[in-house]
mmCIF file with all atom_site columns, all heavy atoms in Angstrom:
data_model
loop_
_atom_site.group_PDB
_atom_site.id
_atom_site.type_symbol
_atom_site.label_atom_id
_atom_site.label_alt_id
_atom_site.label_comp_id
_atom_site.label_asym_id
_atom_site.label_entity_id
_atom_site.label_seq_id
_atom_site.pdbx_PDB_ins_code
_atom_site.Cartn_x
_atom_site.Cartn_y
_atom_site.Cartn_z
_atom_site.occupancy
_atom_site.B_iso_or_equiv
_atom_site.pdbx_formal_charge
_atom_site.auth_seq_id
_atom_site.auth_comp_id
_atom_site.auth_asym_id
_atom_site.auth_atom_id
_atom_site.pdbx_PDB_model_num
ATOM 1   N N   . GLU A 1 34 ? -20.931 29.581 -19.892 1.00 44.00 ? 34 GLU A N   1
ATOM 2   C CA  . GLU A 1 34 ? -20.440 29.583 -21.256 1.00 44.00 ? 34 GLU A CA  1
ATOM 3   C C   . GLU A 1 34 ? -20.740 30.877 -21.990 1.00 44.00 ? 34 GLU A C   1
ATOM 4   O O   . GLU A 1 34 ? -20.051 31.243 -22.926 1.00 44.00 ? 34 GLU A O   1
ATOM 5   C CB  . GLU A 1 34 ? -21.038 28.396 -22.012 1.00 44.00 ? 34 GLU A CB  1
ATOM 6   C CG  . GLU A 1 34 ? -20.430 27.061 -21.572 1.00 44.00 ? 34 GLU A CG  1
ATOM 7   C CD  . GLU A 1 34 ? -20.987 25.907 -22.372 1.00 44.00 ? 34 GLU A CD  1
ATOM 8   O OE1 . GLU A 1 34 ? -21.947 26.161 -23.139 1.00 44.00 ? 34 GLU A OE1 1
ATOM 9   O OE2 . GLU A 1 34 ? -20.496 24.777 -22.245 1.00 44.00 ? 34 GLU A OE2 1
ATOM 10  N N   . THR A 1 35 ? -21.771 31.566 -21.601 1.00 44.00 ? 35 THR A N   1
ATOM 11  C CA  . THR A 1 35 ? -22.136 32.780 -22.321 1.00 44.00 ? 35 THR A CA  1
ATOM 12  C C   . THR A 1 35 ? -21.410 34.008 -21.802 1.00 44.00 ? 35 THR A C   1
ATOM 13  O O   . THR A 1 35 ? -21.557 35.086 -22.347 1.00 44.00 ? 35 THR A O   1
ATOM 14  C CB  . THR A 1 35 ? -23.655 33.006 -22.198 1.00 44.00 ? 35 THR A CB  1
ATOM 15  O OG1 . THR A 1 35 ? -23.995 33.108 -20.807 1.00 44.00 ? 35 THR A OG1 1
ATOM 16  C CG2 . THR A 1 35 ? -24.411 31.829 -22.819 1.00 44.00 ? 35 THR A CG2 1
ATOM 17  N N   . ALA A 1 36 ? -20.645 33.848 -20.728 1.00 46.00 ? 36 ALA A N   1
ATOM 18  C CA  . ALA A 1 36 ? -19.934 34.990 -20.159 1.00 46.00 ? 36 ALA A CA  1
ATOM 19  C C   . ALA A 1 36 ? -18.728 35.341 -21.017 1.00 46.00 ? 36 ALA A C   1
ATOM 20  O O   . ALA A 1 36 ? -18.337 34.613 -21.918 1.00 46.00 ? 36 ALA A O   1
ATOM 21  C CB  . ALA A 1 36 ? -19.493 34.676 -18.731 1.00 46.00 ? 36 ALA A CB  1
ATOM 22  N N   . GLU A 1 37 ? -18.130 36.479 -20.733 1.00 51.00 ? 37 GLU A N   1
ATOM 23  C CA  . GLU A 1 37 ? -16.924 36.918 -21.421 1.00 51.00 ? 37 GLU A CA  1
ATOM 24  C C   . GLU A 1 37 ? -15.818 35.903 -21.209 1.00 51.00 ? 37 GLU A C   1
ATOM 25  O O   . GLU A 1 37 ? -15.529 35.511 -20.090 1.00 51.00 ? 37 GLU A O   1
ATOM 26  C CB  . GLU A 1 37 ? -16.488 38.279 -20.876 1.00 51.00 ? 37 GLU A CB  1
ATOM 27  C CG  . GLU A 1 37 ? -15.248 38.865 -21.540 1.00 51.00 ? 37 GLU A CG  1
ATOM 28  C CD  . GLU A 1 37 ? -15.513 39.285 -22.976 1.00 51.00 ? 37 GLU A CD  1
ATOM 29  O OE1 . GLU A 1 37 ? -16.689 39.487 -23.328 1.00 51.00 ? 37 GLU A OE1 1
ATOM 30  O OE2 . GLU A 1 37 ? -14.530 39.399 -23.739 1.00 51.00 ? 37 GLU A OE2 1
ATOM 31  N N   . PRO A 1 38 ? -15.173 35.401 -22.261 1.00 56.00 ? 38 PRO A N   1
ATOM 32  C CA  . PRO A 1 38 ? -14.153 34.363 -22.111 1.00 56.00 ? 38 PRO A CA  1
ATOM 33  C C   . PRO A 1 38 ? -13.004 34.857 -21.227 1.00 56.00 ? 38 PRO A C   1
ATOM 34  O O   . PRO A 1 38 ? -12.596 36.011 -21.277 1.00 56.00 ? 38 PRO A O   1
ATOM 35  C CB  . PRO A 1 38 ? -13.674 34.114 -23.541 1.00 56.00 ? 38 PRO A CB  1
ATOM 36  C CG  . PRO A 1 38 ? -14.765 34.618 -24.417 1.00 56.00 ? 38 PRO A CG  1
ATOM 37  C CD  . PRO A 1 38 ? -15.401 35.752 -23.680 1.00 56.00 ? 38 PRO A CD  1
ATOM 38  N N   . LYS A 1 39 ? -12.525 33.934 -20.423 1.00 63.00 ? 39 LYS A N   1
ATOM 39  C CA  . LYS A 1 39 ? -11.395 34.239 -19.551 1.00 63.00 ? 39 LYS A CA  1
ATOM 40  C C   . LYS A 1 39 ? -10.170 33.473 -20.001 1.00 63.00 ? 39 LYS A C   1
ATOM 41  O O   . LYS A 1 39 ? -10.262 32.462 -20.690 1.00 63.00 ? 39 LYS A O   1
ATOM 42  C CB  . LYS A 1 39 ? -11.721 33.872 -18.097 1.00 63.00 ? 39 LYS A CB  1
ATOM 43  C CG  . LYS A 1 39 ? -12.861 34.664 -17.489 1.00 63.00 ? 39 LYS A CG  1
ATOM 44  C CD  . LYS A 1 39 ? -13.105 34.225 -16.057 1.00 63.00 ? 39 LYS A CD  1
ATOM 45  C CE  . LYS A 1 39 ? -14.266 34.995 -15.434 1.00 63.00 ? 39 LYS A CE  1
ATOM 46  N NZ  . LYS A 1 39 ? -14.537 34.541 -14.044 1.00 63.00 ? 39 LYS A NZ  1
ATOM 47  N N   . GLY A 1 40 ? -9.018  33.915 -19.617 1.00 67.00 ? 40 GLY A N   1
ATOM 48  C CA  . GLY A 1 40 ? -7.779  33.227 -19.926 1.00 67.00 ? 40 GLY A CA  1
ATOM 49  C C   . GLY A 1 40 ? -6.858  33.269 -18.733 1.00 67.00 ? 40 GLY A C   1
ATOM 50  O O   . GLY A 1 40 ? -7.148  33.886 -17.704 1.00 67.00 ? 40 GLY A O   1
ATOM 51  N N   . LEU A 1 41 ? -5.736  32.579 -18.859 1.00 71.00 ? 41 LEU A N   1
ATOM 52  C CA  . LEU A 1 41 ? -4.761  32.551 -17.794 1.00 71.00 ? 41 LEU A CA  1
ATOM 53  C C   . LEU A 1 41 ? -4.049  33.892 -17.668 1.00 71.00 ? 41 LEU A C   1
ATOM 54  O O   . LEU A 1 41 ? -3.739  34.545 -18.673 1.00 71.00 ? 41 LEU A O   1
ATOM 55  C CB  . LEU A 1 41 ? -3.720  31.462 -18.076 1.00 71.00 ? 41 LEU A CB  1
ATOM 56  C CG  . LEU A 1 41 ? -4.203  30.010 -17.972 1.00 71.00 ? 41 LEU A CG  1
ATOM 57  C CD1 . LEU A 1 41 ? -3.141  29.066 -18.516 1.00 71.00 ? 41 LEU A CD1 1
ATOM 58  C CD2 . LEU A 1 41 ? -4.545  29.657 -16.540 1.00 71.00 ? 41 LEU A CD2 1
ATOM 59  N N   . GLU A 1 42 ? -3.823  34.302 -16.444 1.00 71.00 ? 42 GLU A N   1
ATOM 60  C CA  . GLU A 1 42 ? -3.012  35.491 -16.231 1.00 71.00 ? 42 GLU A CA  1
ATOM 61  C C   . GLU A 1 42 ? -1.565  35.208 -16.613 1.00 71.00 ? 42 GLU A C   1
ATOM 62  O O   . GLU A 1 42 ? -1.099  34.074 -16.523 1.00 71.00 ? 42 GLU A O   1
ATOM 63  C CB  . GLU A 1 42 ? -3.082  35.918 -14.768 1.00 71.00 ? 42 GLU A CB  1
ATOM 64  C CG  . GLU A 1 42 ? -4.447  36.380 -14.314 1.00 71.00 ? 42 GLU A CG  1
ATOM 65  C CD  . GLU A 1 42 ? -4.430  36.845 -12.873 1.00 71.00 ? 42 GLU A CD  1
ATOM 66  O OE1 . GLU A 1 42 ? -3.343  36.828 -12.261 1.00 71.00 ? 42 GLU A OE1 1
ATOM 67  O OE2 . GLU A 1 42 ? -5.499  37.213 -12.360 1.00 71.00 ? 42 GLU A OE2 1
ATOM 68  N N   . LYS A 1 43 ? -0.863  36.217 -17.041 1.00 70.00 ? 43 LYS A N   1
ATOM 69  C CA  . LYS A 1 43 ? 0.546   36.063 -17.382 1.00 70.00 ? 43 LYS A CA  1
ATOM 70  C C   . LYS A 1 43 ? 1.341   35.736 -16.127 1.00 70.00 ? 43 LYS A C   1
ATOM 71  O O   . LYS A 1 43 ? 1.241   36.429 -15.122 1.00 70.00 ? 43 LYS A O   1
ATOM 72  C CB  . LYS A 1 43 ? 1.079   37.345 -18.032 1.00 70.00 ? 43 LYS A CB  1
ATOM 73  C CG  . LYS A 1 43 ? 2.531   37.240 -18.479 1.00 70.00 ? 43 LYS A CG  1
ATOM 74  C CD  . LYS A 1 43 ? 2.984   38.520 -19.164 1.00 70.00 ? 43 LYS A CD  1
ATOM 75  C CE  . LYS A 1 43 ? 4.429   38.413 -19.612 1.00 70.00 ? 43 LYS A CE  1
ATOM 76  N NZ  . LYS A 1 43 ? 4.910   39.655 -20.276 1.00 70.00 ? 43 LYS A NZ  1
ATOM 77  N N   . ILE A 1 44 ? 2.120   34.638 -16.180 1.00 72.00 ? 44 ILE A N   1
ATOM 78  C CA  . ILE A 1 44 ? 2.923   34.217 -15.036 1.00 72.00 ? 44 ILE A CA  1
ATOM 79  C C   . ILE A 1 44 ? 4.326   34.786 -15.202 1.00 72.00 ? 44 ILE A C   1
ATOM 80  O O   . ILE A 1 44 ? 5.035   34.478 -16.164 1.00 72.00 ? 44 ILE A O   1
ATOM 81  C CB  . ILE A 1 44 ? 3.005   32.680 -14.935 1.00 72.00 ? 44 ILE A CB  1
ATOM 82  C CG1 . ILE A 1 44 ? 1.603   32.074 -15.006 1.00 72.00 ? 44 ILE A CG1 1
ATOM 83  C CG2 . ILE A 1 44 ? 3.721   32.266 -13.670 1.00 72.00 ? 44 ILE A CG2 1
ATOM 84  C CD1 . ILE A 1 44 ? 0.682   32.526 -13.908 1.00 72.00 ? 44 ILE A CD1 1
ATOM 85  N N   . THR A 1 45 ? 4.731   35.651 -14.293 1.00 70.00 ? 45 THR A N   1
ATOM 86  C CA  . THR A 1 45 ? 6.067   36.238 -14.348 1.00 70.00 ? 45 THR A CA  1
ATOM 87  C C   . THR A 1 45 ? 6.938   35.641 -13.252 1.00 70.00 ? 45 THR A C   1
ATOM 88  O O   . THR A 1 45 ? 6.469   35.263 -12.186 1.00 70.00 ? 45 THR A O   1
ATOM 89  C CB  . THR A 1 45 ? 6.020   37.761 -14.185 1.00 70.00 ? 45 THR A CB  1
ATOM 90  O OG1 . THR A 1 45 ? 5.425   38.097 -12.923 1.00 70.00 ? 45 THR A OG1 1
ATOM 91  C CG2 . THR A 1 45 ? 5.222   38.395 -15.305 1.00 70.00 ? 45 THR A CG2 1
ATOM 92  N N   . VAL A 1 46 ? 8.232   35.556 -13.541 1.00 69.00 ? 46 VAL A N   1
ATOM 93  C CA  . VAL A 1 46 ? 9.203   35.007 -12.597 1.00 69.00 ? 46 VAL A CA  1
ATOM 94  C C   . VAL A 1 46 ? 10.443  35.894 -12.592 1.00 69.00 ? 46 VAL A C   1
ATOM 95  O O   . VAL A 1 46 ? 10.638  36.730 -13.480 1.00 69.00 ? 46 VAL A O   1
ATOM 96  C CB  . VAL A 1 46 ? 9.609   33.561 -12.983 1.00 69.00 ? 46 VAL A CB  1
ATOM 97  C CG1 . VAL A 1 46 ? 8.422   32.623 -12.876 1.00 69.00 ? 46 VAL A CG1 1
ATOM 98  C CG2 . VAL A 1 46 ? 10.202  33.523 -14.388 1.00 69.00 ? 46 VAL A CG2 1
ATOM 99  N N   . THR A 1 47 ? 11.263  35.715 -11.568 1.00 73.00 ? 47 THR A N   1
ATOM 100 C CA  . THR A 1 47 ? 12.542  36.424 -11.489 1.00 73.00 ? 47 THR A CA  1
ATOM 101 C C   . THR A 1 47 ? 13.693  35.428 -11.408 1.00 73.00 ? 47 THR A C   1
ATOM 102 O O   . THR A 1 47 ? 14.746  35.723 -10.863 1.00 73.00 ? 47 THR A O   1
ATOM 103 C CB  . THR A 1 47 ? 12.572  37.356 -10.264 1.00 73.00 ? 47 THR A CB  1
ATOM 104 O OG1 . THR A 1 47 ? 12.289  36.587 -9.079  1.00 73.00 ? 47 THR A OG1 1
ATOM 105 C CG2 . THR A 1 47 ? 11.560  38.471 -10.406 1.00 73.00 ? 47 THR A CG2 1
#
Side-chain angles (χ1 to χ4, degrees):
E34 287 182 352
T35 59
E37 181 69 21
K39 296 180 181 178
L41 291 170
E42 294 183 2
K43 183 178 180 181
I44 309 300
T45 60
V46 295
T47 55

